[in-house]
Amino acid sequence: MRVLEVTDLQVELLTGTSVVRAVDGVSFHIDQGETVTIIGESGSGKSTTAMAILRLLPDDLAVISGEARIGGQDVTGSRKVIDKLRGRAVALIPQDPMTALNPIRTIGRQMTEAVRIKYPDLGRAEAKARALSLMEQVHIRNPAKQFDAYPHQLSGGMLQRVLIAMAVSTDADLIVADEPTSALDVTVQAGILDLLLELQEQTGIALLLITHDLGVARLMSDRVHVMKAGAFVEGGPVTDVVDHPQHPYTQKLLGAIPELGPWVDPGASEPLVKEASHG
Amino acid sequence: MLTYVLKRVGQTVLTAFLAVATVFVLLRMAPGDPAANYAPPNPSSEQLEAIRQQFGLDQPIPVQFWTFLQHLFQGDVGTSFFFKRPALDVVLERLPYTITLAVAAIVVTSVVAIPLGVWMARRNNTAPELGANIGTIAGQSMPDFWIGFVLLILFAVNLHWFAPSGFDSATSIILPTLTIAILQIALISRLVRREMVVNLASPYLTVARSRGVSERALTWRYAFANAALPVVTALGTRFAAMLNGVVIVEVVFNWPGVGELVVNALKQRDFPLIQATVLVTVLLALAVQLLVDLLYPLMDPRVRLGEASS
Ligand SMILES: Nc1ncnc2c1ncn2[C@@H]1O[C@H](COP(=O)(O)OP(=O)(O)OP(=O)(O)O)[C@@H](O)[C@H]1O
Ligand SMILES: [Mg+2]
């Protein structure tokens, strides 16, 4: 099943005086259970592509043309289409978990809210039970305690697990993850990637992954697209692109990445709560 | 938490004491003799001296202050020269009028400024928002006595909708309330707008939007709930300031509040009445400020839980 089909997507950003074509005719697709990665240097237009597909760019900033079909429905036209898909068919895992939650509401309130967007008929207790089981599913220890915590009381890695749980809570067909580990400690990164792989195995969810890290791309992806200045310069199965890069830009990106070594599950050593809040 | 409250109460008492002490000394160092206001026409120096003695003004200032303090600790703020009654009673009689005016003004301000500010933030950079923006800039740069005179001339003198001054009926409160509120609406709505613009553009809001949270919930439950923290603080501070600062508006509209009382007391050099007014309004304003400061940790878990662990 085709979960996402992007055809000749263009995004022009209106920046006061000038117009920047941040995404310049990009086409790709993702099937069920697949992970497709967009990789490229900073400023190449990776986030803009993802945010345009989710329609999270303000109308007075971005002009979108081309086509992006989520589950067959084109989201580039009326916002009404994406409004019905967000939190139901498609979900986002953000780059920086530390700023991604409402700072004055508990984790639990925000999780039950997310659960009830997809399942509005659930009662309070049922939504809470589902939230707690989701927190267990993403390996948050002592979920009942974290449920009542506020975002500032959790570490970045734990918050990212919460945000992944929220994305999973929607039973979406597609998760967009924009650099899901780049704001986290190196020791925590592998645990989060591991979790994403595990969840994908369990649920068969499709993943649009964005990264500038070829090691991450190689670990996670079925296919990769290499992005440069708003356009794809190369794409295909991950092994082909990594082992036989055709474009000099890809070769340059590859040269910058050290070999990825084996690791022990860092989730086990990850601190549950930030040091500071032990006080 | 308890030590914090005690510390703040201590600060409040100290501040009130310093305010009254300063006023006490300044009044007595200022030129002019109160006795002249309360003596018969063309008084003899003996008559003036007798009045000074009666008011205790013949003593050196430190002695007067010591006597004042002794009485203060017994709950006696002094007797008004003019009313010949306990000054505190006179002030407390007028206080409800000032509080009513301040409450009315802060309620009108909140009810208008919050939706206006939220609306301006959501319509940021559109033509109607630009109009509202210019309007609030104009509002915050007009002095309140000027707003007062314009409203008076327009609605009372020309249109005869309201009585021009005093406190005759329930509608008398409308013009003075508006006079105070217009400036406050301009200031608070701009604060709300600024805070909302920041919160509406923040990452947590975008992520919540990606989860399918409705725009209405994003505006109120997310952005406004966060923007409300500094707004509530500002409203509290404004309210505290109004309890002291509605003097000009009360005089313009002849409103029988504390502000109008203190202006007359100054004219008549009614020292005890001025001291009592300062004491009461300063204490009241500080108490409101204390309440607002205590409210803040209740609204912000980062402050509340940060304090609990340290
Ligand atoms: N809000 C914005 N206003 C103006 N220009 C923007 C804005 N956001 C992005 N751009 C521009 O669009 C281009 C693409 O940016 P984008 O954030 O999509 O890159 P990216 O590949 O995600 O980079 P990074 O790896 O740093 O996240 C850049 O040239 C950037 O300067
Ligand atoms: Mg980016």
Side-chain angles (χ1 to χ4, degrees), chain A residues 137-139 161 164 191-199:
Chain A
Q137 203 183 343
V138 297
H139 309 303
R161 283 172 192 269
I164 291 171
I192 295 292
L193 295 175
D194 219 22
L195 174 65
L196 285 174
L197 287 174
E198 183 190 326
L199 291 171

Side-chain angles (χ1 to χ4, degrees), chain A residues 86-87 99 102 104 113 150, chain B residues 204 209 221-222 226 304:
Chain A
R86 282 190 203 132
T99 60
N102 188 347
I104 60 169
E113 181 191 48
Y150 287 91
Chain B
Y204 74 83
R209 183 175 281 133
R221 214 164 344 128
Y222 282 74
N226 281 278
R304 179 172 72 237

